Amino acid sequence: SSFAGVRRFLARHCVGRDGQADEFTDEDCAVMWGSQQASSAEQARRVSRALDAMEALFLGLVDGHAEAGAEDILGGGFRADFVLARKSALRENISSSCSKLRGMVTVQSLAAGDVDSGVEMMKLLLKGGDGGLKSLGALINAGFSGQTER
C-alpha cells in the first residue's frame, strides 16, 4: 500500500535522524495525509517526528548535503540543471508544506475536541519554529486549506 511505501521510505532514508522510523504506523501515515485524525498525543508526536525527519532529508537534498544522499538520489546533472536554480523556492515549498501538515493535524485535533493531541502538536509546531505560520489565522488556514480544495 502507499502507507507501507511511506514507512519503507522513512526507514530507509530517515532512520537515525530521530531513531523513531520503526514506530511510524499506517495510522500515523493516514493522519499525516489528512484521511484520519490523530487519536493520541503520542501519535501526534510520531507524526511530528516523521515530518521533522522528512523535512530535514528533503532540505538536505536541496542543499546538496552528502548525508542526505543528494548525489545518489538526485544526481549531479539533475541537481545542477533543476535544483540549484530553484533552491530557495524549493526550500520554502518543503518547509511550508511541512508546516501546513503540522497545522492541519493541530487544528483537526483541537476541532475534534482532542485537546491532548492538539496541544501536543501546537507545542511541537511552536517549538520547532513556525516555518512561515506567523499568526493564529495562518495556522487555521493551514489546517483547513486542503479541505476547501476538495
Side-chain angles (χ1 to χ4, degrees):
S1 79
S2 299
F3 293 163
V6 171
R7 280 196 334 271
R8 282 192 306 272
F9 179 87
L10 282 170
R12 183 175 187 184
H13 298 288
C14 298
V15 72
R17 294 182 186 281
D18 63 8
Q20 306 297 324
D22 293 337
E23 295 179 15
F24 195 74
T25 66
D26 285 350
E27 291 78 20
D28 298 340
C29 191
V31 169
M32 193 166 54
W33 285 359
S35 60
Q36 185 174 310
Q37 293 184 2
S39 61
S40 68
E42 179 55 36
Q43 185 176 44
R45 280 190 290 275
R46 284 193 310 269
V47 170
S48 182
R49 283 192 306 259
L51 284 168
D52 289 346
M54 286 187 279
E55 182 176 18
L57 173 71
F58 290 121
L59 290 175
L61 290 173
V62 168
D63 291 340
H65 296 154
E67 65 271 10
E71 292 304 313
D72 296 334
I73 295 172
L74 296 179
F78 178 78
R79 190 168 187 316
D81 294 342
F82 181 79
V83 175
L84 291 179
R86 296 163 180 86
K87 184 176 176 179
S88 178
L90 288 168
R91 286 185 58 78
E92 177 61 30
N93 185 279
I94 291 165
S95 294
S96 176
S97 294
C98 288
S99 286
K100 285 180 182 180
L101 287 169
R102 285 183 191 97
M104 179 185 69
V105 173
T106 302
V107 171
Q108 285 178 346
S109 296
L110 291 172
D114 184 0
V115 177
D116 290 339
S117 298
V119 168
E120 184 63 33
M121 283 301 288
M122 180 66 80
K123 287 192 292 187
L124 294 168
L125 185 70
L126 295 174
K127 179 181 176 188
D130 63 7
L133 295 174
K134 301 296 182 197
S135 67
L136 179 59
L139 174 64
I140 292 169
N141 287 333
F144 289 105
S145 63
Q147 295 170 349
T148 58
E149 296 169 2
R150 291 180 189 174

